[in-house]
Amino acid sequence: MVTVLVSGAGVAGPVVAFWLRRFGFHPTVVEVRSALPFGDGGHAVDVLGPAVQVADRMGLLDAVQAARTSTETISLVRPGHRTVDVDVSALVTGVSDRHVEIIRGDLVRILYGATHDDVEYLFGDSVDGLTDTGGGVEVTFASGAARRFDLVVGADGLHSRIRDLVFGDVPGHYLGGYLAVCTVPSESPLNGRMLALNTVGRTVGVYEVGGAGRARALFLFRSARELPFDHRDLDGQRRLLRAAFGDLGWQVPRLLAAADHADDFYFDAISQIRMDSWSRGRATLLGDAGYCPGPAVGGGTSLAVVGAYVLAGELAAAGGDPAVGFAAYESAMAETVRQSRRIGPAVLRTLVPLSRAHVLLLPQVLRILAGLPRPVQRLLTSYGGGPAKMLDSVVLPDVPHTPELREGA
C-alpha cells in the first residue's frame, strides 16, 4: 500500500486524506497543534461551486449546510448617518448558486469526523526534516521519531514547513494589506447581521458565532509597505493592529481590548504564494502552501478543497507514480490557480476603500446590486469576477478508476 504523509490537518489535509484512503492509499496526517479548533474557531469561510460538489461526493454536504452561518445581512455603519443594510445572501447567490458560508472550525470538525476512523493522525508534532531517496522519503519529526513514506503532501498553509524543506525560502507576494481575526464578547444579539465600518484604508467587521454572547471581529487594513513582524510573535502583531486602528471610534476600542486577550488571535499579511511548480521529487504542495491566493480575499478554502480532490484523483489514476500524478495535478489546477491570483487584489480593493468617495459610494452600490435580478447580477459581476465566478468555471473530474497501486511507485 502506498504510504503518504500529509502535513496539516486544517481543511486541505483531511480532504486529500479522505480521497487518498478511498483510492487505496495509506495516508498519515501530522498536525503541529495538539487539538484542532472545532466549533466556532477561526473565521467564516466560503465553500463555493465545485468545493460544494466535493463535499457532496464525500457525503458531507448535509452536515456542511446544517453548520452554515446565520449571517444574511451586512449592516454598513456610517457614523453620523443612517446604517445601510445589504442582503449579502442575495449578493453571493447572484454570482454562484452553489455557496455555503461556514465557520472554519465547524468545517474542520466535519472533515476530521469523516476521516479519523480510517486515517492515522499525529497531533502535537511536525516535520523536522525530509530526505528524498528516490524510492521514498525519509522523514524526521520534531518529536524525534523517524519514518519512511512513499509520498509527502504539504497542506500546512501560507507558512508551510514542507515548502521550506523542499523548495527553500519562497517569499509571499504582498498584496498591500493585512488581516486580523479574533473572538470577542458580543454586546447584544446581532440576529443574522454583520456590522461593518469602512474608512479609507481600513475595514472592521463584527459577526455572531456560536451563540452564548460570542462574536468574531475582523480587521482589514492597507499598508503601502510590508510591515516587519514574526508570524509567531502575537504580542508584536497586536501592537501593529492597535497602531493601525487605535484612532477609530465606534466599537473599535472595545474590539482592540478584546483582541489583546483573545486566545485565537490571528494576524497575517494578505499575500499570495506564486510558484512555477508545486512538486519536486516525491513531495508536492496543496492549497495555501503551494498557491495561496490571499487570506480572506481569494477563495482559498474552496481552492484547497478542489485541489485536494484533484490531487488524490490524479495520484490514483497514475497508480501512485508521483512523476505522473503530480504533473497531472499541476496541469489540471494551473488555469484555476492562475485566475485566483487576479482575484485577491480586486477583492481587497472592494473590501477596503481606497478613497473617501469609495467609502461613500460602496454602500449604495452594494445595496443596488443586491436588489437586482440574478441574471443582471451575473452580467454586472462577470467582468471583474471573483472567487465564486472563478471556481464555478471548474468542472470536476469523475472519481477515477483506480489502477493497481504500486508499492514505492
Side-chain angles (χ1 to χ4, degrees), residues 209-231:
V209 292
R214 291 162 63 84
R216 190 80 73 243
L218 171 72
F219 303 85
L220 292 162
F221 70 96
R222 295 182 181 279
S223 175
R225 62 182 180 85
E226 286 192 73
L227 304 175
F229 75 97
D230 185 332
H231 73 270

Side-chain angles (χ1 to χ4, degrees), residues 19 22-23 50 53-54 57 306 308-318 332 394-403:
W19 289 107
R22 176 73 62 89
F23 297 147
Q53 192 177 354
V54 172
R57 292 183 181 184
V306 172
Y309 177 86
V310 171
L311 171 58
E314 295 296 353
L315 281 174
V394 176
V395 178
L396 291 179
D398 292 330
V399 175
H401 167 71
T402 308

Side-chain angles (χ1 to χ4, degrees), residues 22-45:
R22 176 73 62 89
F23 297 147
F25 294 77
H26 182 78
T28 296
V29 180
V30 61
E31 169 57 45
V32 66
R33 292 170 295 186
S34 59
L36 295 176
F38 293 157
D40 60 6
H43 56 283
V45 298

Side-chain angles (χ1 to χ4, degrees), residues 144-233:
R147 290 173 61 175
R148 177 194 176 280
F149 296 89
D150 295 310
L151 306 172
V152 173
V153 176
D156 44 352
L158 183 61
H159 303 285
S160 169
R161 175 62 173 159
I162 301 301
R163 187 181 65 235
D164 288 347
L165 290 170
V166 176
F167 292 92
D169 182 37
V170 178
H173 182 82
Y174 178 59
L175 298 186
Y178 289 82
L179 160 74
V181 182
C182 64
T183 299
V184 299
S186 178
E187 287 190 325
S188 59
L190 296 176
N191 300 320
R193 290 187 305 148
M194 176 180 180
L195 304 179
L197 173 68
N198 292 90
T199 65
V200 177
R202 296 176 289 184
T203 293
V204 182
V206 185
Y207 56 94
E208 228 165 19
V209 292
R214 291 162 63 84
R216 190 80 73 243
L218 171 72
F219 303 85
L220 292 162
F221 70 96
R222 295 182 181 279
S223 175
R225 62 182 180 85
E226 286 192 73
L227 304 175
F229 75 97
D230 185 332
H231 73 270
R232 296 170 292 249
D233 179 8

Side-chain angles (χ1 to χ4, degrees), residues 43-48 175 179 220 270-272 287-288 291-305 333 336-349 351 385-392:
H43 56 283
V45 298
D46 292 306
V47 182
L48 298 162
L175 298 186
L179 160 74
L220 292 162
I270 300 176
S271 302
Q272 293 182 341
D288 284 356
Y291 37 88
C292 177
V297 297
T301 297
S302 292
L303 193 62
V305 170
M333 292 296 297
T336 302
V337 169
R338 187 186 67 81
Q339 290 185 42
S340 76
R341 290 173 181 163
R342 298 200 306 260
I343 291 168
V347 173
L348 184 61
R349 284 194 298 270
L351 292 176
K389 181 177 181 296
M390 177 270 294
L391 286 158
D392 262 351

Side-chain angles (χ1 to χ4, degrees), residues 41-110:
H43 56 283
V45 298
D46 292 306
V47 182
L48 298 162
V52 174
Q53 192 177 354
V54 172
D56 193 20
R57 292 183 181 184
M58 295 173 73
L60 302 177
L61 184 55
D62 287 346
V64 170
Q65 289 178 327
R68 70 190 314 153
T69 67
S70 58
T71 302
E72 298 177 351
T73 303
I74 295 180
S75 294
L76 295 166
V77 177
R78 302 181 303 164
H81 301 276
R82 184 171 59 87
T83 297
V84 174
D85 291 335
V86 178
D87 184 352
V88 67
S89 60
L91 199 57
V92 174
T93 55
V95 179
S96 174
D97 290 326
R98 298 177 295 170
H99 168 248
V100 180
E101 183 184 73
I102 183 172
I103 298 298
R104 191 176 188 277
D106 279 326
L107 182 58
V108 170
R109 169 183 56 81
I110 292 167

